[in-house]
Amino acid sequence: MRRSVLLFLLLGFLAGCATQKPLYYWGNYSRSLYKYKKSPTEENLKTHKAVLLKIMEESSKMNLRVPPGVCCEYGYLLLKEGKKEEALHYFDLEEKAYPESKPFLDRLRAKWIGKKEN
Amino acid sequence: MDRKEGKLTMKIPKLFILFGILSLALSACAPKALKKCEVFPKMYAERPMSILVLPPINETTAADAKEYYATTVAEPLSLSGYYVFPIEVISEILKSEGAYDTEALVDVDPKKFREYFGADGVMYIRIKKWDTAYYVIGGNVTVGVHCLLKSTNSGDILWEYDGIIVYDTTARSSGGGLGGLIAAVIITAIQTATTDYVPIAKRVNYMVLQTIPAGKYNPRCDQDRDDPVVVRKTTK
């Protein structure tokens, strides 16, 4: 009895210190986003979009869920370029992976897509 | 009488071993550690799944800090197991609603973020330090932040932590003598001036966010109640 309690305690402590395999592949996200924000040129936007696409591709290759927000961010950039249909596709991908994003995505869909149509 | 003594001497080594193992296990982690469930009980009670991160509030004089920092939050927070709303998209929407600064949003009822975005929690980040320092033969970069998570149900503070990292940018000269020293001073100056803040900000985030209880998408969700957390006074 005492021994099992001890073992349990030890395991708990060890687990707290152990490193885990990452949940997501984020690629070069921070860097390319920062560059684009610092100087919002066409080229930096292109690079950031490529990074977002690569995150989606690599994630599916590695059998990981796409990190939260990535599909939505990509869709949003497409929306700003006027590519409504494509944007909606990526919003749907985001919702499929993370159902909790639905209220937010619905707002995006209504607000932006409704606005562009009028 | 003899038997009693025998029992006692048997007990002592067992106790010693027990203490030895326990103190070893404890010393492997931080000494002033408390359990996560003791420090952040509301986090376990409410179990937020989605977190809306507001654009950071910059309390430093470094104009770049906000932009730099905002790009490094989503990654570690998502790895903790939370759905993180796309920070870029959120900040553009907030701007389109007339909220240009997070300072203006601090007093907004957290419940509004549930109504508007469906978020379970709102994260307020204050950048406290973003400094570059030179001294004669060295230099460093300091990044410090304070993070606060509020519930959009109750408005209560669910989690709060702050972290600071000092990153040494001193060049290590391989050659000795005065020539080596001068070279090192020049290299330090260059390295300190052009230091890439992104990895430093990331490290601060990882340090701070490892104290947040794991969320739904992390395999350790709900299993980290007894994980140790080092509780410190707020850095200023």
Side-chain angles (χ1 to χ4, degrees):
Chain A
M1 183 60 191
R2 216 191 254 165
R3 231 183 233 177
S4 61
V5 169
L6 242 168
L7 251 175
F8 183 78
L9 265 173
L10 253 178
L11 273 177
F13 278 117
L14 287 172
C17 303
T19 50
Q20 294 149 19
K21 176 193 161 218
L23 262 185
Y24 299 115
Y25 171 82
W26 274 95
N28 240 342
Y29 179 84
S30 303
R31 197 165 293 276
S32 68
L33 177 59
Y34 174 70
K35 262 194 180 162
Y36 172 56
K37 285 178 82 171
K38 198 164 186 190
S39 60
T41 62
E42 265 312 301
E43 202 192 323
N44 286 341
L45 175 62
K46 235 181 173 175
T47 313
H48 186 55
K49 277 173 73 185
V51 166
L52 291 174
L53 269 182
K54 194 177 176 220
I55 292 173
M56 293 183 231
E57 281 165 16
E58 289 295 316
S59 298
S60 79
K61 264 189 220 163
M62 293 158 84
N63 221 357
L64 296 171
R65 200 190 292 265
V66 178
V70 168
C71 295
C72 176
E73 188 175 331
Y74 190 72
Y76 186 80
L77 291 173
L78 293 175
L79 200 62
K80 290 209 289 188
E81 292 170 13
K83 296 174 182 162
K84 265 192 274 177
E85 290 303 313
E86 280 182 74
L88 279 177
H89 168 68
Y90 285 99
F91 288 169
D92 291 346
L93 286 180
E94 179 87 17
E95 191 182 321
K96 222 175 168 182
Y98 302 98
E100 57 271 58
S101 65
K102 189 177 186 323
F104 166 60
L105 292 169
D106 281 346
R107 195 165 278 275
L108 271 183
R109 288 172 182 129
K111 186 180 162 101
W112 290 85
I113 294 184
K115 200 195 254 174
K116 298 255 160 96
E117 269 170 0
N118 287 337
Chain B
M1 194 65 183
D2 275 334
R3 273 175 120 190
K4 249 189 186 172
E5 269 181 25
K7 259 190 186 169
L8 254 176
T9 44
M10 275 297 281
K11 262 185 188 169
I12 290 168
K14 248 192 193 171
L15 258 173
F16 261 106
I17 292 170
L18 214 151
F19 270 107
I21 292 174
L22 254 177
S23 61
L24 252 177
L26 280 168
S27 66
C29 298
K32 268 192 287 177
L34 283 171
K35 289 175 181 174
K36 272 190 185 177
C37 62
E38 293 169 346
V39 187
F40 312 115
K42 283 182 178 158
M43 204 67 191
Y44 290 95
E46 283 210 19
R47 296 238 134 272
M49 292 198 301
S50 57
I51 296 178
L52 187 132
V53 181
L54 292 173
I57 297 172
N58 187 6
E59 293 183 353
T60 73
T61 50
D64 274 357
K66 191 172 155 177
E67 305 287 283
Y68 263 121
Y69 198 80
T71 62
T72 61
V73 182
E75 185 173 337
L77 190 55
S78 73
L79 294 174
S80 297
Y82 293 93
Y83 177 74
V84 185
F85 291 86
I87 297 170
E88 273 321 284
V89 182
I90 294 286
S91 73
E92 286 206 19
I93 291 189
L94 290 173
K95 274 181 198 162
S96 78
E97 297 290 321
Y100 282 89
D101 284 309
T102 304
E103 280 88 338
L105 293 166
V106 170
D107 297 326
V108 170
D109 184 353
K111 285 172 189 154
K112 291 271 172 220
F113 296 101
R114 171 173 294 274
E115 281 168 32
Y116 203 89
F117 298 106
D120 295 336
V122 201
M123 179 89 83
Y124 305 84
I125 299 170
R126 287 174 189 275
I127 303 170
K128 298 250 174 208
K129 267 194 162 48
W130 199 272
D131 300 330
T132 305
Y134 304 89
Y135 40 97
V136 183
I137 49 159
N140 61 47
V141 170
T142 309
V143 173
V145 293
H146 175 256
C147 301
L148 182 87
L149 179 69
K150 275 190 186 172
S151 159
T152 57
N153 271 322
S154 57
D156 291 346
I157 294 170
L158 297 178
W159 172 83
E160 188 181 7
Y161 209 78
D162 57 0
I164 190 159
I165 272 192
V166 180
Y167 183 81
D168 190 4
T169 47
T170 307
R172 312 263 170 246
S173 63
S174 46
L178 192 61
L181 181 65
I182 291 169
V185 169
I186 294 167
I187 296 166
T188 298
I190 293 168
Q191 276 183 0
T192 311
T194 60
T195 295
D196 189 350
Y197 281 91
V198 169
I200 303 170
K202 267 191 182 171
R203 270 170 48 190
V204 178
N205 282 328
Y206 275 105
M207 187 179 103
V208 169
L209 287 167
Q210 72 184 4
T211 68
I212 201 168
K216 178 186 165 190
Y217 294 101
N218 189 300
R220 296 206 66 236
C221 181
D222 218 30
Q223 291 166 27
D224 58 355
R225 288 171 176 269
D226 297 336
D227 281 8
V229 177
V230 179
V231 181
R232 294 168 308 163
K233 293 261 183 251
T234 308
T235 47
K236 234 305 185 199

